[in-house]
Amino acid sequence: MSLALLWIPATIAASLLQTARNLTQRSLTDIIGVVGATQVRFLFGLPFALLFLVLVCLVAARLPPGIDGKVLAFALGGALAQIAATALMLAAMRTHSFAVTTAYTKTEPVQVAIFGALLLGDPLGWGKFAAIIVATIGVIVVSWKPGQKLTAAGMRPAVLGIGSGAFFALSAIGFRGAIQALPEGGFFIRATTILALGLTLQTVLLTLYMLVANRPALVLSLRNWRRSLSAGFLGAAASQCWFIGFSLTSAANVRTLALIEVPLAQIASRRIFAEGTSRRELVGMALIVLGVGALLLLAIS
């Protein structure tokens, strides 16, 4: 496989790891609340990110690339957006099914394609944009139930999920911008450096917030350290794979391929939470697969 196509297996691995992490975080929301479960992926993920960076530096026999103001600004923007996205996603999961919430968050690719083109100058041809639209329509088909009334209560999960997707889009752009802004180094060490930087910023910000505003949730996350550690490792490993993808191709390509997470979430919901899958949801997942497949053909050709 060409090195340029390494983003494909990296993104698939990231989607698998993220699905497992979301399941773990969802189980923690009932114990330590939304903010506590949000904080877990960062606080307990940071040690693994630092370990990844040490190993990469040892293998490469070099120090991490230097971090300047531009890199820090992009990384901070990505870090803050990811915190907001994770909190909104977990809040939506408390009111709606795991699979449907995941689908709402995956309205992200259209937003990330536009943000990427505007902010980073990532190329976006009509073919790729059409593939993204088809996959996103599949997400909408999966998410929307026939006859669903537009009540405030009924719209709340959709607003939370789509808002989460928007912040995930901004997060992807921020972290890709930070990786690109690093002055030197190969794709692997640049991706791992930004992973460690991003998780450090997120851990400091959320821990300080929780010490002031929600100390009991912080204490509960430490008491439930086994489950929290699992979520942290899965989150750090998923982010490592995401960042490898961001270092090799546009965020739009990565996030569109990541829509395979929607069928994965459907499988998880059916097996773990006994949440069934309707014909409409199967049609939506087929559209997602079609859009993702078209994107891959365009990326490979």
Side-chain angles (χ1 to χ4, degrees):
M1 177 184 292
S2 168
L3 187 62
L5 297 180
L6 183 61
W7 69 271
I8 296 175
T11 301
I12 292 171
S15 297
L16 291 167
L17 289 164
Q18 181 159 293
T19 298
R21 188 211 69 210
N22 288 344
L23 287 167
T24 306
Q25 278 187 287
R26 172 180 168 160
S27 68
L28 282 166
T29 55
D30 295 332
I31 302 172
I32 59 179
V34 171
V35 177
T38 300
Q39 171 262 358
V40 157
R41 68 169 291 189
F42 305 121
L43 176 62
F44 288 87
L46 178 59
F48 295 106
L50 295 176
L51 177 61
F52 296 162
L53 182 59
V54 169
L55 292 175
V56 170
C57 289
L58 288 175
V59 171
R62 59 157 296 166
L63 294 174
I67 296 171
D68 58 19
K70 183 178 180 181
V71 174
L72 186 60
F74 269 120
L76 182 60
L80 292 172
Q82 192 175 52
I83 290 172
T86 304
L88 289 173
M89 179 190 69
L90 292 175
M93 283 181 180
R94 297 190 77 174
T95 61
H96 225 55
S97 77
F98 175 80
V100 174
T101 297
T102 300
Y104 280 135
T105 65
K106 294 308 176 184
T107 55
E108 168 194 2
V110 171
Q111 301 174 74
V112 80
I114 295 170
F115 291 149
L118 292 176
L119 300 177
L120 300 179
D122 287 337
L124 182 64
W126 286 108
K128 286 186 178 181
F129 194 70
I132 293 169
I133 291 293
V134 169
T136 304
I137 289 173
V139 170
I140 295 170
V141 170
V142 168
S143 307
W144 190 258
K145 294 181 179 179
Q148 185 174 352
K149 295 181 180 179
L150 295 176
T151 63
M155 287 299 294
R156 185 170 184 270
V159 172
L160 290 172
I162 293 170
S164 174
F167 278 108
F168 273 128
L170 291 171
S171 172
I173 296 304
F175 287 132
R176 173 163 163 78
I179 292 169
Q180 288 183 313
L182 286 174
E184 58 183 352
F187 74 93
F188 209 108
I189 197 167
R190 285 187 291 119
T192 311
T193 299
I194 297 304
L195 171 63
L197 174 62
L199 279 176
T200 299
L201 292 170
Q202 290 163 327
T203 298
V204 170
L205 290 171
L206 267 179
T207 301
L208 289 174
Y209 169 79
M210 293 185 72
L211 284 172
V212 174
N214 200 347
R215 189 170 298 183
L218 179 60
V219 173
L220 282 172
S221 70
L222 295 173
R223 287 178 179 172
N224 289 272
W225 64 270
R226 288 184 179 85
R227 196 178 298 182
S228 298
L229 201 63
S230 297
F233 169 74
L234 290 168
S239 294
Q240 176 73 75
C241 293
W242 288 130
F243 287 14
I244 289 172
F246 293 153
S247 69
L248 293 171
T249 190
S250 72
N253 284 351
V254 172
R255 288 310 200 189
T256 303
L257 177 55
L259 290 177
I260 62 168
E261 190 180 339
V262 176
L264 291 174
Q266 289 284 348
I267 294 169
S269 288
R270 191 166 186 175
R271 295 290 181 88
I272 299 172
F273 301 118
E275 298 167 350
T277 304
S278 67
R279 290 183 180 179
R280 170 185 50 78
E281 290 169 334
L282 291 173
V283 169
M285 286 189 283
L287 288 172
I288 293 170
V289 172
L290 178 63
V292 168
L295 177 75
L296 289 179
L297 288 175
L298 289 168
I300 293 171
S301 62

